Amino acid sequence: MGRIGQALDGTARWLLKWRIIRGPARYLANSRYAYSIISRTDRVRTNRLRDRIKRSEMPQHVSIIMDGNRRFAWSQELGREVGHQHGKEKLKEVMDWILDLKIPYLTVYALSTENMTGREDDELDTLYDLYVTGFQEICSDPKIHSSGVKVQAVGRLELLPERVQNAIKVAEEKTGEYTNFLFTVCLAYGGREEIVDAVRELADDHAQGKISLDAIDTDAISNRLYTADLPDPDLVIRTSGEERISNFLLWQIAYSELHFTDVHWPSFSRNDLYEAIDSYQKRKRRYGL
Ligand code: IPE
Ligand code: IPE
Ligand code: MG
């Protein structure tokens, strides 16, 4: 609710001490006027923060570990599939905010290789259905076409059910020509597996005499990762309070700024995104990078 909200709460609590104004104070606190004042001031504050971060250097590549769908659902006594559904809707919103900020690269972690073995079949089925509709919605969204957003999925995609693979193929075909923005969804993805795949390719190239041992350097590995066509992330955001990387872009985040926030992914707000970027910009300025 922010500082103003807290101040209003404090005033309301103070007013409630006086019996004579307890009634009117309660009425005011619950009224839609109070709600509207608070949400308006929140919006003004968020827009101010957006203006401020837009004046500084923007990260070019933001990547997000979208965590906490089930905890969001449980906290509201909803089923976990509702949490995942809200998570999908949130991603569409976040894409809009990223486009508005003109950040050219957005990469999100939607399913890990560990999730595929560690979650129950019916939860995985719910997730697969959401990816199918998610990709369908993305490629029929006029904004994707007018902004020129290329969409791609990376990971061990062959492990995904055919319906998901088909939805990915359609989205990639429909947006393949665009070059303004690149939106990457990591699915059936593991950072270690990605490095293993790159090393296998290198070993094969070496065996065929295409690359000498001396020529194997960090670039040779980077160029064989799934993300060969995008720069390393400047900023990694993880929602929902866990402060770990969970096998996400291990090689690529060597120098990325990491930002952890307690909010569950479905509750992630425009203000939360701007705060993450603001803290990234502050750290950059402090270290003069
Ligand atoms: C993230 O939310 C979505 C996926 C990993 C697919 P979770 O499902 O991990 O939700 P929590 O972290 O258990 O709350
Ligand atoms: C990481 O979240 C993977 C995604 C967000 C897709 P998890 O919830 O699977 O990670 P752990 O199990 O908490 O490390
Ligand atoms: Mg989780």
Side-chain angles (χ1 to χ4, degrees), residues 5 10 16 22 29 53 65 82 101 103 125 140 158 173 190 195 221 253-254 269:
L16 287 172
R22 207 174 280 172
I53 59 172
I65 302 173
V82 185
L101 293 173
I103 293 173
D125 268 335
S140 58
E158 67 283 0
E173 276 167 14
I195 296 172
I221 304 237
I253 60 168
S269 68

Side-chain angles (χ1 to χ4, degrees), residues 66-71 115 119 238 240 242 244:
M66 307 181 292
D67 197 21
N69 289 352
R70 296 182 299 186
R71 276 167 283 172
N115 292 152
R119 305 244 173 162
R238 181 170 187 152
S240 211
E242 308 301 334
R244 60 175 172 271

Side-chain angles (χ1 to χ4, degrees), residues 182-221:
L182 181 58
F183 173 45
T184 306
V185 186
C186 297
L187 275 176
Y189 174 88
R192 287 182 175 173
E193 286 76 2
E194 181 182 29
I195 296 172
V196 167
D197 286 350
V199 170
R200 277 190 191 146
E201 204 182 309
L202 265 177
D204 191 40
D205 284 352
H206 177 64
Q208 293 185 39
K210 289 188 199 155
I211 188 166
S212 69
L213 270 187
D214 290 343
I216 299 178
D217 54 12
T218 51
D219 279 348
I221 304 237

Side-chain angles (χ1 to χ4, degrees), residues 49 52-53 274-283:
L49 184 54
R52 189 168 86 219
I53 59 172
Y274 298 162
E275 275 177 2
I277 294 173
D278 187 45
S279 93
Y280 159 83
Q281 291 174 333
K282 280 187 181 136
R283 283 186 253 178

Side-chain angles (χ1 to χ4, degrees), residues 53-97:
I53 59 172
K54 274 188 152 179
R55 283 195 293 271
S56 269
E57 199 184 318
M58 275 292 162
Q60 291 301 291
H61 183 180
V62 171
S63 56
I64 309 179
I65 302 173
M66 307 181 292
D67 197 21
N69 289 352
R70 296 182 299 186
R71 276 167 283 172
F72 165 85
W74 292 329
S75 73
Q76 314 225 1
E77 292 178 35
L78 300 165
R80 66 183 172 207
E81 63 291 345
V82 185
H84 290 313
Q85 168 77 32
H86 277 80
K88 176 186 77 100
E89 295 304 321
K90 180 56 63 178
L91 178 55
K92 287 198 285 182
E93 278 184 80
V94 173
M95 282 178 63
D96 273 353
W97 305 335

Side-chain angles (χ1 to χ4, degrees), residues 18-38:
W18 312 96
R19 186 182 291 262
I20 194 147
I21 43 180
R22 207 174 280 172
R26 266 223 182 94
Y27 170 77
L28 265 181
N30 291 327
S31 76
R32 65 192 164 87
Y33 298 108
Y35 176 75
S36 138
I37 290 171
I38 290 165

